[in-house]
Short mmCIF file of all heavy atoms in Angstrom, two decimals:
data_model
loop_
_atom_site.label_atom_id
_atom_site.label_comp_id
_atom_site.label_asym_id
_atom_site.label_seq_id
_atom_site.Cartn_x
_atom_site.Cartn_y
_atom_site.Cartn_z
N LEU V 1 -1.06 -1.52 20.09
CA LEU V 1 0.37 -1.60 20.17
C LEU V 1 0.87 -0.82 21.40
O LEU V 1 0.43 0.31 21.66
CB LEU V 1 1.00 -0.99 18.93
CG LEU V 1 0.70 -1.69 17.60
CD1 LEU V 1 1.30 -0.87 16.43
CD2 LEU V 1 1.29 -3.07 17.57
N VAL V 2 1.72 -1.42 22.16
CA VAL V 2 2.34 -0.83 23.30
C VAL V 2 3.74 -0.53 23.01
O VAL V 2 4.54 -1.44 22.64
CB VAL V 2 2.21 -1.77 24.57
CG1 VAL V 2 2.82 -1.07 25.75
CG2 VAL V 2 0.77 -2.12 24.77
N GLY V 3 4.15 0.71 23.10
CA GLY V 3 5.55 1.10 22.84
C GLY V 3 5.67 2.58 22.85
O GLY V 3 4.79 3.32 23.34
N ASP V 4 6.78 3.09 22.28
CA ASP V 4 7.06 4.50 22.27
C ASP V 4 5.98 5.24 21.40
O ASP V 4 5.55 4.73 20.37
CB ASP V 4 8.39 4.77 21.68
CG ASP V 4 9.53 4.34 22.57
OD1 ASP V 4 9.27 4.18 23.79
OD2 ASP V 4 10.68 4.13 22.13
N GLU V 5 5.62 6.42 21.89
CA GLU V 5 4.75 7.30 21.10
C GLU V 5 5.65 8.23 20.34
O GLU V 5 6.44 8.97 20.90
CB GLU V 5 3.83 8.06 22.04
CG GLU V 5 2.83 8.89 21.27
CD GLU V 5 1.82 9.58 22.24
OE1 GLU V 5 1.42 8.91 23.22
OE2 GLU V 5 1.52 10.76 22.03
N THR V 6 5.55 8.23 19.02
CA THR V 6 6.45 9.03 18.21
C THR V 6 5.88 10.49 18.15
O THR V 6 4.72 10.71 18.31
CB THR V 6 6.52 8.51 16.78
OG1 THR V 6 5.25 8.48 16.20
CG2 THR V 6 7.13 7.13 16.78
N GLN V 7 6.80 11.42 17.94
CA GLN V 7 6.41 12.80 17.84
C GLN V 7 5.97 13.20 16.45
O GLN V 7 5.25 14.14 16.25
CB GLN V 7 7.57 13.70 18.29
CG GLN V 7 8.00 13.44 19.73
CD GLN V 7 6.84 13.73 20.72
OE1 GLN V 7 6.13 14.68 20.59
NE2 GLN V 7 6.71 12.80 21.64
N THR V 8 6.40 12.46 15.46
CA THR V 8 6.05 12.72 14.06
C THR V 8 5.10 11.65 13.56
O THR V 8 4.98 10.57 14.19
CB THR V 8 7.29 12.77 13.17
OG1 THR V 8 7.94 11.48 13.25
CG2 THR V 8 8.27 13.84 13.60
N ALA V 9 4.38 11.93 12.50
CA ALA V 9 3.42 10.98 11.97
C ALA V 9 4.16 9.79 11.41
O ALA V 9 4.80 9.84 10.36
CB ALA V 9 2.59 11.68 10.86
N THR V 10 4.13 8.68 12.12
CA THR V 10 4.72 7.40 11.76
C THR V 10 3.69 6.36 11.81
O THR V 10 2.93 6.26 12.74
CB THR V 10 5.89 7.07 12.70
OG1 THR V 10 6.83 8.17 12.72
CG2 THR V 10 6.57 5.83 12.28
N ASN V 11 3.64 5.50 10.79
CA ASN V 11 2.63 4.45 10.72
C ASN V 11 3.23 3.08 10.79
O ASN V 11 4.37 2.83 10.32
CB ASN V 11 1.84 4.56 9.41
CG ASN V 11 0.92 5.78 9.36
OD1 ASN V 11 0.41 6.16 10.39
ND2 ASN V 11 0.82 6.35 8.19
N MET V 12 2.53 2.18 11.46
CA MET V 12 2.90 0.78 11.51
C MET V 12 1.84 0.03 10.68
O MET V 12 0.66 0.20 10.93
CB MET V 12 2.91 0.25 12.95
CG MET V 12 3.21 -1.22 13.08
SD MET V 12 4.92 -1.61 12.72
CE MET V 12 5.80 -0.85 14.06
N SER V 13 2.27 -0.76 9.77
CA SER V 13 1.35 -1.60 8.96
C SER V 13 1.22 -2.96 9.63
O SER V 13 2.18 -3.57 9.99
CB SER V 13 1.87 -1.77 7.52
OG SER V 13 1.97 -0.51 6.94
N ILE V 14 -0.04 -3.41 9.80
CA ILE V 14 -0.31 -4.71 10.42
C ILE V 14 -1.17 -5.49 9.47
O ILE V 14 -2.19 -5.08 8.99
CB ILE V 14 -1.04 -4.47 11.77
CG1 ILE V 14 -0.26 -3.57 12.69
CG2 ILE V 14 -1.36 -5.84 12.41
CD1 ILE V 14 -0.96 -3.22 13.95
N SER V 15 -0.68 -6.71 9.21
CA SER V 15 -1.49 -7.69 8.47
C SER V 15 -1.40 -9.00 9.22
O SER V 15 -0.61 -9.17 10.15
CB SER V 15 -0.92 -7.85 7.03
OG SER V 15 0.41 -8.25 7.04
N TRP V 16 -2.27 -9.95 8.83
CA TRP V 16 -2.29 -11.19 9.57
C TRP V 16 -2.65 -12.34 8.62
O TRP V 16 -3.16 -12.13 7.54
CB TRP V 16 -3.25 -11.14 10.75
CG TRP V 16 -4.67 -10.78 10.43
CD1 TRP V 16 -5.63 -11.58 9.96
CD2 TRP V 16 -5.20 -9.48 10.51
NE1 TRP V 16 -6.79 -10.82 9.74
CE2 TRP V 16 -6.56 -9.53 10.11
CE3 TRP V 16 -4.72 -8.22 10.92
CZ2 TRP V 16 -7.38 -8.46 10.09
CZ3 TRP V 16 -5.53 -7.13 10.89
CH2 TRP V 16 -6.87 -7.24 10.47
N THR V 17 -2.37 -13.54 9.10
CA THR V 17 -2.67 -14.76 8.37
C THR V 17 -3.38 -15.76 9.27
O THR V 17 -3.05 -15.83 10.46
CB THR V 17 -1.36 -15.39 7.75
OG1 THR V 17 -1.73 -16.59 7.07
CG2 THR V 17 -0.33 -15.68 8.83
N ASP V 18 -4.32 -16.46 8.74
CA ASP V 18 -5.03 -17.52 9.47
C ASP V 18 -4.75 -18.88 8.88
O ASP V 18 -5.35 -19.88 9.25
CB ASP V 18 -6.52 -17.25 9.48
CG ASP V 18 -6.87 -15.97 10.23
OD1 ASP V 18 -6.15 -15.58 11.14
OD2 ASP V 18 -7.92 -15.34 9.86
N ASP V 19 -3.83 -18.96 7.90
CA ASP V 19 -3.63 -20.23 7.20
C ASP V 19 -2.11 -20.60 7.12
O ASP V 19 -1.58 -20.95 6.09
CB ASP V 19 -4.21 -20.22 5.80
CG ASP V 19 -3.61 -19.11 4.91
OD1 ASP V 19 -2.72 -18.36 5.40
OD2 ASP V 19 -4.03 -18.98 3.77
N ASP V 20 -1.50 -20.57 8.27
CA ASP V 20 -0.08 -21.00 8.41
C ASP V 20 0.85 -20.24 7.47
O ASP V 20 1.70 -20.82 6.80
CB ASP V 20 0.07 -22.53 8.20
CG ASP V 20 -0.61 -23.30 9.29
OD1 ASP V 20 -0.64 -22.82 10.46
OD2 ASP V 20 -1.09 -24.45 9.02
N TYR V 21 0.72 -18.96 7.42
CA TYR V 21 1.64 -18.05 6.73
C TYR V 21 1.56 -18.16 5.21
O TYR V 21 2.43 -17.70 4.47
CB TYR V 21 3.08 -18.27 7.16
CG TYR V 21 3.32 -18.07 8.63
CD1 TYR V 21 3.29 -19.18 9.51
CD2 TYR V 21 3.53 -16.86 9.16
CE1 TYR V 21 3.46 -19.00 10.84
CE2 TYR V 21 3.72 -16.66 10.52
CZ TYR V 21 3.71 -17.74 11.34
OH TYR V 21 3.86 -17.57 12.69
N ASN V 22 0.51 -18.75 4.67
CA ASN V 22 0.38 -18.89 3.20
C ASN V 22 -0.09 -17.56 2.58
O ASN V 22 0.44 -17.16 1.51
CB ASN V 22 -0.59 -20.01 2.81
CG ASN V 22 0.02 -21.39 3.12
OD1 ASN V 22 1.18 -21.62 2.83
ND2 ASN V 22 -0.74 -22.21 3.76
N THR V 23 -1.09 -16.92 3.14
CA THR V 23 -1.58 -15.69 2.60
C THR V 23 -1.79 -14.69 3.77
O THR V 23 -2.19 -15.09 4.85
CB THR V 23 -2.89 -15.84 1.83
OG1 THR V 23 -3.87 -16.42 2.75
CG2 THR V 23 -2.75 -16.70 0.64
N PHE V 24 -1.48 -13.45 3.49
CA PHE V 24 -1.69 -12.37 4.50
C PHE V 24 -2.77 -11.41 4.03
O PHE V 24 -2.96 -11.26 2.82
CB PHE V 24 -0.41 -11.58 4.75
CG PHE V 24 0.58 -12.31 5.65
CD1 PHE V 24 1.42 -13.24 5.19
CD2 PHE V 24 0.57 -11.99 7.02
CE1 PHE V 24 2.35 -13.90 6.02
CE2 PHE V 24 1.46 -12.63 7.86
CZ PHE V 24 2.31 -13.59 7.37
N THR V 25 -3.46 -10.81 4.92
CA THR V 25 -4.47 -9.79 4.60
C THR V 25 -3.76 -8.55 4.10
O THR V 25 -2.57 -8.36 4.24
CB THR V 25 -5.29 -9.40 5.84
OG1 THR V 25 -4.41 -8.83 6.80
CG2 THR V 25 -6.03 -10.62 6.39
N THR V 26 -4.52 -7.69 3.44
CA THR V 26 -4.01 -6.36 3.09
C THR V 26 -3.73 -5.62 4.36
O THR V 26 -4.49 -5.61 5.30
CB THR V 26 -5.08 -5.62 2.28
OG1 THR V 26 -5.43 -6.40 1.14
CG2 THR V 26 -4.60 -4.26 1.86
N ALA V 27 -2.54 -5.01 4.43
CA ALA V 27 -2.12 -4.33 5.64
C ALA V 27 -3.00 -3.16 5.99
O ALA V 27 -3.46 -2.45 5.13
CB ALA V 27 -0.67 -3.87 5.48
N ARG V 28 -3.23 -3.02 7.29
CA ARG V 28 -3.99 -1.83 7.84
C ARG V 28 -2.97 -1.09 8.64
O ARG V 28 -2.05 -1.62 9.27
CB ARG V 28 -5.15 -2.33 8.70
CG ARG V 28 -6.19 -3.04 7.85
CD ARG V 28 -7.20 -3.75 8.63
NE ARG V 28 -7.93 -2.84 9.53
CZ ARG V 28 -8.89 -3.26 10.39
NH1 ARG V 28 -9.17 -4.52 10.49
NH2 ARG V 28 -9.52 -2.40 11.18
N THR V 29 -3.13 0.27 8.67
CA THR V 29 -2.11 1.12 9.35
C THR V 29 -2.62 1.63 10.65
O THR V 29 -3.80 1.85 10.86
CB THR V 29 -1.72 2.32 8.43
OG1 THR V 29 -2.87 3.06 8.13
CG2 THR V 29 -1.07 1.84 7.16
N VAL V 30 -1.68 1.79 11.57
CA VAL V 30 -1.92 2.33 12.89
C VAL V 30 -0.88 3.45 13.08
O VAL V 30 0.31 3.28 12.85
CB VAL V 30 -1.68 1.28 13.98
CG1 VAL V 30 -1.83 1.93 15.38
CG2 VAL V 30 -2.67 0.14 13.83
N GLY V 31 -1.39 4.64 13.44
CA GLY V 31 -0.54 5.78 13.64
C GLY V 31 0.14 5.74 15.01
O GLY V 31 -0.50 5.65 16.02
N LEU V 32 1.46 5.71 15.02
CA LEU V 32 2.20 5.59 16.27
C LEU V 32 2.28 6.92 17.06
O LEU V 32 2.71 6.91 18.19
CB LEU V 32 3.62 5.05 16.02
CG LEU V 32 3.66 3.64 15.42
CD1 LEU V 32 5.07 3.27 15.16
CD2 LEU V 32 2.92 2.68 16.29
N ALA V 33 1.85 8.02 16.41
CA ALA V 33 1.75 9.27 17.17
C ALA V 33 0.45 9.42 17.88
O ALA V 33 0.23 10.29 18.67
CB ALA V 33 1.99 10.43 16.20
N ASP V 34 -0.51 8.53 17.56
CA ASP V 34 -1.85 8.53 18.20
C ASP V 34 -1.79 8.03 19.63
O ASP V 34 -0.99 7.16 19.93
CB ASP V 34 -2.83 7.71 17.41
CG ASP V 34 -3.00 8.17 15.96
OD1 ASP V 34 -2.66 9.32 15.72
OD2 ASP V 34 -3.45 7.37 15.11
N THR V 35 -2.64 8.56 20.47
CA THR V 35 -2.73 8.08 21.83
C THR V 35 -3.34 6.69 21.89
O THR V 35 -2.87 5.81 22.59
CB THR V 35 -3.59 9.06 22.69
OG1 THR V 35 -3.02 10.35 22.64
CG2 THR V 35 -3.67 8.60 24.13
N TRP V 36 -4.41 6.46 21.12
CA TRP V 36 -5.05 5.16 21.08
C TRP V 36 -4.68 4.52 19.72
O TRP V 36 -5.18 4.84 18.69
CB TRP V 36 -6.60 5.33 21.19
CG TRP V 36 -6.95 5.82 22.50
CD1 TRP V 36 -7.34 7.14 22.80
CD2 TRP V 36 -6.99 5.14 23.73
NE1 TRP V 36 -7.56 7.26 24.16
CE2 TRP V 36 -7.38 6.07 24.76
CE3 TRP V 36 -6.73 3.83 24.12
CZ2 TRP V 36 -7.50 5.68 26.07
CZ3 TRP V 36 -6.85 3.50 25.43
CH2 TRP V 36 -7.24 4.40 26.39
N ARG V 37 -3.79 3.55 19.79
CA ARG V 37 -3.34 2.82 18.57
C ARG V 37 -4.07 1.51 18.51
O ARG V 37 -3.64 0.51 19.07
CB ARG V 37 -1.85 2.63 18.66
CG ARG V 37 -1.09 3.91 18.67
CD ARG V 37 0.35 3.68 18.95
NE ARG V 37 0.56 4.00 20.37
CZ ARG V 37 1.73 3.99 20.94
NH1 ARG V 37 2.78 3.64 20.29
NH2 ARG V 37 1.86 4.29 22.23
N THR V 38 -5.21 1.53 17.81
CA THR V 38 -6.08 0.32 17.79
C THR V 38 -6.51 -0.01 16.36
O THR V 38 -6.57 0.82 15.51
CB THR V 38 -7.31 0.53 18.60
OG1 THR V 38 -8.05 1.65 18.13
CG2 THR V 38 -6.93 0.84 20.10
N LEU V 39 -6.85 -1.31 16.21
CA LEU V 39 -7.55 -1.80 15.06
C LEU V 39 -8.86 -2.43 15.58
O LEU V 39 -8.83 -3.14 16.59
CB LEU V 39 -6.76 -2.85 14.31
CG LEU V 39 -5.49 -2.41 13.58
CD1 LEU V 39 -4.82 -3.62 12.95
CD2 LEU V 39 -5.84 -1.42 12.50
N THR V 40 -9.92 -2.23 14.84
CA THR V 40 -11.20 -2.85 15.26
C THR V 40 -11.73 -3.69 14.09
O THR V 40 -11.26 -3.55 12.91
CB THR V 40 -12.26 -1.79 15.65
OG1 THR V 40 -12.46 -0.92 14.51
CG2 THR V 40 -11.77 -0.96 16.83
N ASN V 41 -12.71 -4.55 14.40
CA ASN V 41 -13.35 -5.39 13.38
C ASN V 41 -12.31 -6.23 12.65
O ASN V 41 -12.26 -6.16 11.42
CB ASN V 41 -14.19 -4.53 12.43
CG ASN V 41 -15.25 -3.77 13.16
OD1 ASN V 41 -15.82 -4.23 14.13
ND2 ASN V 41 -15.54 -2.57 12.67
N CYS V 42 -11.63 -7.05 13.34
CA CYS V 42 -10.56 -7.89 12.71
C CYS V 42 -11.07 -9.31 12.43
O CYS V 42 -10.32 -10.18 12.03
CB CYS V 42 -9.36 -7.97 13.61
SG CYS V 42 -8.57 -6.35 13.81
N GLY V 43 -12.36 -9.58 12.65
CA GLY V 43 -12.94 -10.90 12.23
C GLY V 43 -12.76 -11.97 13.25
O GLY V 43 -12.22 -11.79 14.34
N GLU V 44 -13.14 -13.16 12.81
CA GLU V 44 -13.03 -14.37 13.65
C GLU V 44 -11.79 -15.15 13.27
O GLU V 44 -11.41 -15.21 12.10
CB GLU V 44 -14.27 -15.22 13.47
CG GLU V 44 -15.57 -14.57 13.85
CD GLU V 44 -16.75 -15.48 13.65
OE1 GLU V 44 -16.61 -16.61 13.20
OE2 GLU V 44 -17.89 -15.01 13.82
N PHE V 45 -11.25 -15.90 14.24
CA PHE V 45 -10.11 -16.72 13.94
C PHE V 45 -9.89 -17.72 15.08
O PHE V 45 -10.34 -17.53 16.19
CB PHE V 45 -8.80 -15.90 13.74
CG PHE V 45 -8.43 -15.06 14.96
CD1 PHE V 45 -7.52 -15.60 15.85
CD2 PHE V 45 -8.93 -13.82 15.13
CE1 PHE V 45 -7.14 -14.82 16.95
CE2 PHE V 45 -8.53 -13.06 16.24
CZ PHE V 45 -7.63 -13.60 17.17
N ARG V 46 -9.15 -18.80 14.78
CA ARG V 46 -8.70 -19.73 15.80
C ARG V 46 -7.21 -19.57 16.03
O ARG V 46 -6.79 -19.56 17.13
CB ARG V 46 -8.97 -21.17 15.36
CG ARG V 46 -10.41 -21.52 15.50
CD ARG V 46 -10.63 -22.94 15.31
NE ARG V 46 -12.06 -23.24 15.54
CZ ARG V 46 -12.51 -24.30 16.05
NH1 ARG V 46 -11.64 -25.23 16.44
NH2 ARG V 46 -13.77 -24.44 16.28
N ARG V 47 -6.47 -19.55 14.98
CA ARG V 47 -5.01 -19.31 15.04
C ARG V 47 -4.70 -18.16 14.15
O ARG V 47 -5.15 -18.12 13.04
CB ARG V 47 -4.25 -20.55 14.56
CG ARG V 47 -4.38 -21.74 15.45
CD ARG V 47 -3.56 -22.87 14.81
NE ARG V 47 -3.63 -24.02 15.68
CZ ARG V 47 -2.98 -25.12 15.40
NH1 ARG V 47 -2.25 -25.20 14.32
NH2 ARG V 47 -3.06 -26.14 16.20
N ARG V 48 -3.91 -17.23 14.65
CA ARG V 48 -3.61 -16.06 13.82
C ARG V 48 -2.16 -15.66 14.10
O ARG V 48 -1.72 -15.64 15.25
CB ARG V 48 -4.58 -14.92 14.14
CG ARG V 48 -4.30 -13.71 13.32
CD ARG V 48 -5.42 -12.72 13.42
NE ARG V 48 -6.50 -13.18 12.53
CZ ARG V 48 -7.63 -12.56 12.41
NH1 ARG V 48 -7.92 -11.47 13.08
NH2 ARG V 48 -8.56 -13.01 11.59
N ALA V 49 -1.45 -15.32 13.03
CA ALA V 49 -0.10 -14.77 13.14
C ALA V 49 -0.13 -13.37 12.54
O ALA V 49 -0.82 -13.11 11.58
CB ALA V 49 0.89 -15.62 12.39
N PHE V 50 0.58 -12.44 13.18
CA PHE V 50 0.61 -11.05 12.79
C PHE V 50 1.95 -10.69 12.16
O PHE V 50 2.99 -11.22 12.55
CB PHE V 50 0.36 -10.14 14.02
CG PHE V 50 -1.05 -10.31 14.56
CD1 PHE V 50 -1.28 -11.19 15.56
CD2 PHE V 50 -2.09 -9.55 14.05
CE1 PHE V 50 -2.56 -11.31 16.10
CE2 PHE V 50 -3.36 -9.65 14.57
CZ PHE V 50 -3.58 -10.55 15.63
N ARG V 51 1.86 -9.79 11.19
CA ARG V 51 3.11 -9.26 10.57
C ARG V 51 3.04 -7.73 10.75
O ARG V 51 2.11 -7.08 10.26
CB ARG V 51 3.23 -9.62 9.08
CG ARG V 51 4.41 -9.01 8.40
CD ARG V 51 4.62 -9.55 7.01
NE ARG V 51 3.45 -9.40 6.20
CZ ARG V 51 3.29 -9.96 5.00
NH1 ARG V 51 4.25 -10.70 4.48
NH2 ARG V 51 2.18 -9.76 4.28
N LEU V 52 4.06 -7.16 11.42
CA LEU V 52 4.14 -5.72 11.63
C LEU V 52 5.27 -5.20 10.77
O LEU V 52 6.36 -5.73 10.79
CB LEU V 52 4.43 -5.40 13.08
CG LEU V 52 3.24 -5.60 14.02
CD1 LEU V 52 2.96 -7.06 14.32
CD2 LEU V 52 3.46 -4.86 15.32
N THR V 53 4.98 -4.13 10.04
CA THR V 53 5.97 -3.54 9.11
C THR V 53 6.05 -2.02 9.36
O THR V 53 5.05 -1.33 9.39
CB THR V 53 5.55 -3.81 7.65
OG1 THR V 53 5.27 -5.15 7.52
CG2 THR V 53 6.66 -3.34 6.69
N ASN V 54 7.29 -1.56 9.48
CA ASN V 54 7.53 -0.13 9.63
C ASN V 54 8.55 0.28 8.56
O ASN V 54 9.66 -0.22 8.50
CB ASN V 54 8.08 0.18 11.03
CG ASN V 54 8.50 1.62 11.16
OD1 ASN V 54 7.97 2.50 10.50
ND2 ASN V 54 9.49 1.84 12.01
N THR V 55 8.17 1.17 7.66
CA THR V 55 9.04 1.66 6.63
C THR V 55 9.63 2.98 6.92
O THR V 55 10.36 3.58 6.05
CB THR V 55 8.31 1.68 5.30
OG1 THR V 55 7.22 2.55 5.40
CG2 THR V 55 7.86 0.29 4.86
N SER V 56 9.41 3.54 8.08
CA SER V 56 9.90 4.84 8.47
C SER V 56 11.40 4.75 8.80
O SER V 56 11.92 3.71 9.17
CB SER V 56 9.11 5.35 9.66
OG SER V 56 9.77 6.41 10.32
N SER V 57 12.05 5.88 8.72
CA SER V 57 13.50 5.94 9.07
C SER V 57 13.62 6.19 10.59
O SER V 57 14.74 6.17 11.11
CB SER V 57 14.21 7.03 8.32
OG SER V 57 13.63 8.31 8.61
N ILE V 58 12.54 6.43 11.30
CA ILE V 58 12.54 6.66 12.72
C ILE V 58 12.58 5.31 13.48
O ILE V 58 11.74 4.46 13.22
CB ILE V 58 11.34 7.49 13.18
CG1 ILE V 58 11.32 8.84 12.45
CG2 ILE V 58 11.25 7.65 14.69
CD1 ILE V 58 10.04 9.61 12.66
N PRO V 59 13.53 5.11 14.39
CA PRO V 59 13.53 3.87 15.17
C PRO V 59 12.28 3.74 16.05
O PRO V 59 11.84 4.73 16.62
CB PRO V 59 14.82 3.91 15.98
CG PRO V 59 15.43 5.24 15.72
CD PRO V 59 14.56 5.99 14.73
N ILE V 60 11.74 2.55 16.16
CA ILE V 60 10.56 2.33 16.96
C ILE V 60 10.81 1.14 17.95
O ILE V 60 11.36 0.15 17.53
CB ILE V 60 9.37 2.00 16.07
CG1 ILE V 60 9.04 3.21 15.17
CG2 ILE V 60 8.15 1.57 16.84
CD1 ILE V 60 8.01 2.94 14.16
N ARG V 61 10.37 1.36 19.20
CA ARG V 61 10.50 0.30 20.17
C ARG V 61 9.09 -0.12 20.54
O ARG V 61 8.30 0.67 21.01
CB ARG V 61 11.26 0.78 21.40
CG ARG V 61 12.68 1.15 21.15
CD ARG V 61 13.37 1.52 22.41
NE ARG V 61 12.66 2.65 23.07
CZ ARG V 61 13.02 3.11 24.24
NH1 ARG V 61 14.02 2.65 24.91
NH2 ARG V 61 12.34 4.18 24.75
N LEU V 62 8.76 -1.38 20.30
CA LEU V 62 7.47 -1.90 20.72
C LEU V 62 7.70 -2.88 21.85
O LEU V 62 8.62 -3.64 21.87
CB LEU V 62 6.79 -2.66 19.52
CG LEU V 62 6.41 -1.80 18.37
CD1 LEU V 62 5.80 -2.64 17.26
CD2 LEU V 62 5.41 -0.70 18.80
N GLU V 63 6.77 -2.82 22.83
CA GLU V 63 6.87 -3.73 23.98
C GLU V 63 5.91 -4.86 23.85
O GLU V 63 6.24 -6.02 24.24
CB GLU V 63 6.56 -2.93 25.26
CG GLU V 63 6.65 -3.75 26.50
CD GLU V 63 6.33 -2.91 27.73
OE1 GLU V 63 6.35 -1.66 27.66
OE2 GLU V 63 6.09 -3.48 28.79
N ALA V 64 4.73 -4.63 23.31
CA ALA V 64 3.71 -5.67 23.28
C ALA V 64 2.62 -5.33 22.34
O ALA V 64 2.47 -4.20 21.84
CB ALA V 64 3.11 -5.88 24.71
N ILE V 65 1.81 -6.36 22.04
CA ILE V 65 0.58 -6.21 21.32
C ILE V 65 -0.54 -6.68 22.26
O ILE V 65 -0.48 -7.82 22.75
CB ILE V 65 0.52 -7.05 20.00
CG1 ILE V 65 1.57 -6.62 19.06
CG2 ILE V 65 -0.89 -6.92 19.38
CD1 ILE V 65 1.67 -7.51 17.80
N GLU V 66 -1.48 -5.84 22.55
CA GLU V 66 -2.57 -6.23 23.43
C GLU V 66 -3.76 -6.59 22.56
O GLU V 66 -4.15 -5.90 21.61
CB GLU V 66 -2.97 -5.09 24.35
CG GLU V 66 -1.95 -4.72 25.36
CD GLU V 66 -2.37 -3.67 26.37
OE1 GLU V 66 -3.47 -3.03 26.09
OE2 GLU V 66 -1.67 -3.42 27.31
N LEU V 67 -4.37 -7.74 22.90
CA LEU V 67 -5.56 -8.19 22.15
C LEU V 67 -6.72 -8.25 23.09
O LEU V 67 -6.62 -8.71 24.23
CB LEU V 67 -5.32 -9.58 21.56
CG LEU V 67 -4.15 -9.74 20.63
CD1 LEU V 67 -3.98 -11.19 20.25
CD2 LEU V 67 -4.41 -8.94 19.39
N GLU V 68 -7.86 -7.77 22.64
CA GLU V 68 -9.09 -7.93 23.39
C GLU V 68 -10.05 -8.73 22.50
O GLU V 68 -10.29 -8.40 21.35
CB GLU V 68 -9.71 -6.55 23.68
CG GLU V 68 -10.98 -6.65 24.53
CD GLU V 68 -11.48 -5.26 24.86
OE1 GLU V 68 -10.66 -4.35 25.14
OE2 GLU V 68 -12.70 -5.08 24.79
N TYR V 69 -10.54 -9.86 23.02
CA TYR V 69 -11.38 -10.70 22.23
C TYR V 69 -12.56 -11.27 23.05
O TYR V 69 -12.54 -11.20 24.27
CB TYR V 69 -10.58 -11.85 21.63
CG TYR V 69 -10.02 -12.79 22.69
CD1 TYR V 69 -10.76 -13.92 23.06
CD2 TYR V 69 -8.82 -12.58 23.32
CE1 TYR V 69 -10.27 -14.79 24.06
CE2 TYR V 69 -8.32 -13.43 24.30
CZ TYR V 69 -9.02 -14.52 24.66
OH TYR V 69 -8.56 -15.36 25.61
N THR V 70 -13.52 -11.77 22.34
CA THR V 70 -14.66 -12.42 22.94
C THR V 70 -14.63 -13.84 22.48
O THR V 70 -14.62 -14.16 21.30
CB THR V 70 -16.00 -11.74 22.49
OG1 THR V 70 -15.96 -10.34 22.82
CG2 THR V 70 -17.19 -12.40 23.13
N GLN V 71 -14.66 -14.76 23.47
CA GLN V 71 -14.60 -16.18 23.12
C GLN V 71 -16.00 -16.68 22.67
O GLN V 71 -17.02 -16.36 23.29
CB GLN V 71 -14.20 -16.95 24.37
CG GLN V 71 -13.95 -18.44 24.09
CD GLN V 71 -13.29 -19.12 25.24
OE1 GLN V 71 -12.66 -18.49 26.08
NE2 GLN V 71 -13.39 -20.41 25.32
N GLY V 72 -16.00 -17.44 21.58
CA GLY V 72 -17.23 -17.95 21.05
C GLY V 72 -17.69 -19.22 21.80
O GLY V 72 -17.08 -19.65 22.78
N LEU V 73 -18.78 -19.77 21.29
CA LEU V 73 -19.36 -20.94 21.97
C LEU V 73 -18.71 -22.24 21.54
O LEU V 73 -18.81 -23.25 22.24
CB LEU V 73 -20.85 -21.02 21.61
CG LEU V 73 -21.68 -19.79 22.13
CD1 LEU V 73 -23.12 -19.92 21.68
CD2 LEU V 73 -21.61 -19.72 23.66
N HIS V 74 -18.06 -22.33 20.40
CA HIS V 74 -17.49 -23.57 19.89
C HIS V 74 -16.02 -23.50 19.81
O HIS V 74 -15.37 -22.77 19.20
CB HIS V 74 -18.07 -23.98 18.55
CG HIS V 74 -19.56 -24.15 18.63
ND1 HIS V 74 -20.14 -25.24 19.15
CD2 HIS V 74 -20.57 -23.32 18.24
CE1 HIS V 74 -21.47 -25.14 19.09
NE2 HIS V 74 -21.75 -23.92 18.55
#
């Protein structure tokens, strides 16, 4: 996640769907006060939509989501 780094412990919950928004994965959390805000081992997919949820009372500004992936053979 690219955006403001918070001074207090604030978490962003991230879940995703690979089946046109029918079912979402269990949310995983990323600490916005951390320098490296990353998720690893997110599996294989062709089309994926992400849902980001913040339940904190602290306003958060996000600029982008950076993805690093390895393209398969098929």
Side-chain angles (χ1 to χ4, degrees):
L1 296 174
V2 179
D4 290 340
E5 186 174 320
T6 60
Q7 299 301 316
T8 60
T10 303
N11 291 324
M12 177 70 68
S13 298
I14 301 174
S15 58
W16 56 84
T17 178
D18 295 331
D19 60 1
D20 293 329
Y21 303 95
N22 290 314
T23 57
F24 280 85
T25 61
T26 302
R28 294 170 60 184
T29 58
V30 175
L32 297 178
D34 300 339
T35 303
W36 295 102
R37 296 171 260 184
T38 61
L39 290 178
T40 59
N41 300 325
C42 296
E44 298 179 4
F45 62 93
R46 285 190 176 215
R47 294 180 177 181
R48 181 166 281 179
F50 293 92
R51 177 171 55 189
L52 286 76
T53 308
N54 173 28
T55 57
S56 164
S57 61
I58 299 171
I60 295 173
R61 296 183 304 175
L62 294 178
E63 181 179 344
I65 299 175
E66 291 183 352
L67 301 174
E68 184 177 319
Y69 65 93
T70 303
Q71 186 170 339
L73 299 175
H74 301 282

